[in-house]
Amino acid sequence: MSSKKNKKLTPTQQQYQAFAQAREPKRPVVTNCIKAFFVGGIVCTIGQALQMMFIKYFNFTETTAGNPTVAVLIIISVILTSLGVYDHIGQWAGAGTAVPVTGFANTMASAAIEHRSEGYVLGVGGNMFKLSGSVIVYGVFSAFVVALIKIIIKALGGM
């Protein structure tokens, strides 16, 4: 805790903070990072296998195989979320399931499932984007900024 926060606390509160911190369980940071790395890698490996399947069996190119690959990963994620399996995987793996596109699909599906009792319009439609809305907003804004930079560079004679 910073010293500024300690100055605002009474001596009793400071003693309690020290007491609580001494008994707080230590987080296994290295273990959590390893789990996240491997689970995220497994998700990406499944995606790569799907992409290779689309290229080999359905005659897609590397460029066009990306969209159906992402769609299948999203569908798998939504199905696992609806069955309650994705939550257990996410609890164990942490950020390994949150980073890929499957994590985004999980946030959308879990919010929709949680609020379905309130109706489709006000429940599902109104609450589905609460968790993932910021990702969409910042993703669109970032894409706009990158496109603007690319246009400026092209206008100046680059690339």
Side-chain angles (χ1 to χ4, degrees):
M1 188 181 297
S2 69
S3 60
K4 288 184 180 181
K5 289 183 181 178
N6 277 339
K7 289 181 183 177
K8 295 179 184 178
L9 298 177
T10 65
T12 306
Q13 291 172 329
Q14 290 176 1
Q15 287 175 344
Y16 176 75
Q17 289 292 334
F19 175 80
Q21 285 179 349
R23 280 149 184 81
E24 184 176 296
K26 302 295 180 222
R27 294 186 183 109
V29 176
V30 174
T31 306
N32 290 345
C33 288
I34 292 170
K35 287 178 185 178
F37 176 79
F38 281 111
V39 171
I42 289 169
V43 170
C44 293
T45 303
I46 292 169
Q48 186 65 42
L50 285 168
Q51 185 176 15
M52 291 169 59
M53 181 192 71
F54 282 118
I55 291 170
K56 183 174 182 178
Y57 296 112
F58 298 104
N59 297 323
F60 281 88
T61 65
E62 278 192 45
T63 307
T64 59
N67 292 336
T69 301
V70 171
V72 170
L73 285 172
I74 289 171
I75 290 168
I76 291 170
S77 175
V78 169
I79 290 170
L80 291 177
T81 299
S82 65
L83 296 175
V85 175
Y86 201 93
D87 294 336
H88 294 294
I89 297 169
Q91 187 71 28
W92 185 81
T97 58
V99 176
V101 69
T102 54
F104 184 73
N106 175 53
T107 61
M108 298 274 295
S110 62
I113 291 168
E114 183 178 337
H115 297 286
R116 73 175 179 244
S117 63
E118 298 171 24
Y120 289 115
V121 175
L122 296 176
V124 174
N127 293 304
M128 189 177 350
F129 295 102
K130 279 188 177 178
L131 293 173
S132 56
S134 59
V135 174
I136 294 170
V137 169
Y138 289 114
V140 170
F141 179 73
S142 299
F144 172 75
V145 170
V146 169
L148 195 62
I149 291 170
K150 184 176 179 181
I151 291 169
I152 292 170
I153 291 172
K154 276 190 172 186
L156 294 174
M159 293 210 273

